[in-house]
Amino acid sequence: MSPKDLACWLEKSGEKPYRARQILKWIYGRQTDRFEDMTDLKKGLRARLAAAFSNVRLKLLKVERAKDGTEKFRFGLADGARVESIRIPERDHDTLCISSQVGCAMGCAFCLTARLGWIRNLTPGEILSQVRDICRASPRRRITNIVFMGMGEPLANLDNVCRALEILTQSAFGLGFSHRKITVSTAGVVPKMAELGRKTRVNLAVSLNATQNKTRDFLMPVNRRFPLERLLEACRAYPLPPTRRITFEYVLLKGINDTLDDARRLSRLLGPLRAKINLIPFNEFEGAPFQRPEEGHILAFQKVLLDRHMTAIIRASKGSEISAACGQLGAPAHAA
Ligand code: SAH
């Protein structure tokens, strides 16, 4: 529930609306699970809250740990659906990669999550609980960054994602993450991009993955509705705060989108934008119809971009031996 909705509920119940902040501070700041433990509220209010609301909890079904320290958390939801979230250790902090939907409707040809199809949207509480529960399970880690790059398309569940973002970024009564350290990634749901920019100040990432419509149509069906021209137009129009850039993800697929002409086209398309490019060599999964290009070729692709003064990094793939790398999240959607 958003702070506003909770304040309304309190007012209707004859309570002071400012209590909303107090209650949220207990839930998110102090990680209190039970209303009866919220000792600065009157006993009567605590009981009424307990009768009216339940605290969303995910069931932690499984944690897998890769040699590089990456951990994959598999959560069970109240209706038996499952999602996965990843904790990625970096040099001086950790990044969480969280899910916004159970399954995904985007149907990208190279992504394992797509094979589940779309099952349902996550609620704001379920999105937040991934963060809360992983922070709680990892008390000694400095978790500062969050990317919406797990299962699902965040812009296809934008209302719930925005509600979750409001609490994630509130320091007075929320989880206190900085807008600058949160990134929402989209496959290119063009009409929702402007709305994200209007409603939040978090970073935007766009999964570009091809430089020509015919290739992108085949890899990412969303391109048939919102082709490259419209996607890039929406990027140009995006209300980017002064020192920030849009991240463009580019999955490198051998023989499909990895020619040096692709690299040159990529720099032409993104040159006019404040952009940084994340090159993600394809992460394999069972039955995947694609291959990762050879190391030398990946470097040659990157060099074309660097020579044209683009920022382009090759994303080290972490956690692939536990299927925790980009595009490898595919928890069976329901309990087996
Ligand atoms: N639906 C959103 C959020 C998911 S982000 C989006 O598409 O942006 C997941 C990222 O992983 C995307 O950039 C996608 O292009 C990339 N990806 C998917 N499958 C992959 C794979 N098998 N190997 C490498 N990257 C992959």
Side-chain angles (χ1 to χ4, degrees), residues 110-111 149-150 152-153 185-187 207 209 249 251 280 282-283 326-327:
F110 46 80
C111 180
M149 297 185 185
E153 167 53 46
S185 181
T186 181
S207 299
N209 298 340
E249 294 137 295
V251 182
I280 318 176
F282 176 64
N283 293 310
C326 305

Side-chain angles (χ1 to χ4, degrees), residues 118-183:
W118 179 84
I119 295 152
R120 70 169 173 87
N121 286 338
L122 294 183
T123 65
E126 288 166 339
I127 295 171
L128 287 165
S129 293
Q130 297 169 62
V131 177
R132 219 163 50 134
D133 288 4
I134 296 177
C135 289
R136 202 185 287 198
S138 326
R140 283 188 297 280
R141 308 299 310 183
R142 215 172 77 79
I143 297 169
T144 55
N145 294 43
I146 296 177
V147 295
F148 282 75
M149 297 185 185
M151 301 167 80
E153 167 53 46
L155 296 200
N157 185 18
L158 189 56
D159 286 347
N160 290 352
V161 165
C162 284
R163 279 167 167 256
L165 287 173
E166 183 183 1
I167 303 239
L168 282 173
T169 53
Q170 266 293 342
S171 48
F173 54 82
L175 288 165
F177 285 88
S178 156
H179 290 101
R180 310 178 148 272
K181 307 249 160 129
I182 299 180
T183 301

